[in-house]
Amino acid sequence: MYLLWQGTRIYSMRGHRGLAGAKNILNLDLRRLILEHARVHESDLSLLSFKRSWKGWSLSFIHNCRLLEHSVGRHIQNLYDAAMSHVFRNGASLEERVAGLFAIYFVYFTQHTTPRVRIQLSRTHLEGISSFIRHLKKLSRGEDAIFVVK
C-alpha cells in the first residue's frame, strides 16, 4: 500500500497501480491548483498571487509523494509534465497557461535535491513557450511569467 499527500489530505493508494495511480493523483493536485488559481485570481498574473495559492494548497509537500521504486528525477519530470500540460492545453485561458508556467517554476525551486532536476522540454514545447512569451509581451501582461521563463 502506498500513501500519497494530496493538498491537506493523505490518500491510500490501495487498488492503484504504482506510478500510474500516483501520477494521476499528483496531476490532479496540480490541475486543481492551476484551475482554482486561474478562476479566483483571473486578472492577477503575478507570481506573488500564485505563491499564495501554492502555499495555501501546501504543494511544497508534493515532492514527498515519490514512490520509492522511482527515481527523484522521474518523479519531478512527471510533475513538470503535469504542469506543462496546462500551458499547452487547447482552449486554456491566458490565466491557466500562466499558472502552468508558475507551477513549473515552483516545482523546480521547491525540490529537495541538489543539484536540482532540470526541466526537460521537447523542441515543440520550447517553441511553444517562446511563442507564448512573445504573445504576453505583445499584450504587455504577465511580466512575472516572462521572468520565470528566463
Side-chain angles (χ1 to χ4, degrees), residues 19 22-23 26-27 30 62-63 66-67 70-86 88 100 103-108 111 113 115-123 125-126 129:
L19 181 64
K23 188 175 176 183
L26 296 175
N27 286 349
L30 285 172
I62 203 165
H63 298 287
R66 180 179 64 88
L67 296 175
H70 300 286
S71 70
V72 172
R74 182 173 176 187
H75 171 72
I76 292 175
Q77 189 60 47
N78 286 335
L79 296 176
Y80 290 149
D81 293 343
M84 188 72 66
S85 69
H86 292 277
F88 295 105
I104 295 166
Y105 180 82
F106 275 93
V107 166
Y108 182 81
Q111 292 178 48
T113 59
R116 291 185 177 107
V117 176
R118 292 182 173 193
I119 303 167
Q120 297 178 13
L121 296 173
S122 69
R123 184 180 197 141
H125 282 150
L126 189 58
I129 288 176

Side-chain angles (χ1 to χ4, degrees), residues 8-62:
T8 56
R9 297 185 183 110
I10 294 178
Y11 288 89
S12 167
M13 289 298 296
R14 186 176 302 156
H16 291 281
R17 305 198 67 164
L19 181 64
K23 188 175 176 183
N24 288 338
I25 288 179
L26 296 175
N27 286 349
L28 184 61
D29 259 359
L30 285 172
R31 178 175 173 72
R32 285 179 179 167
L33 167 71
I34 290 167
L35 294 177
E36 180 72 13
H37 178 79
R39 186 182 62 78
V40 172
H41 303 280
E42 62 188 49
S43 62
D44 189 357
L45 298 179
S46 72
L47 187 60
L48 182 61
S49 70
F50 188 82
K51 181 180 181 179
R52 286 189 206 114
S53 296
W54 180 272
K55 284 186 172 185
W57 280 69
S58 302
L59 277 186
S60 293
F61 293 108
I62 203 165

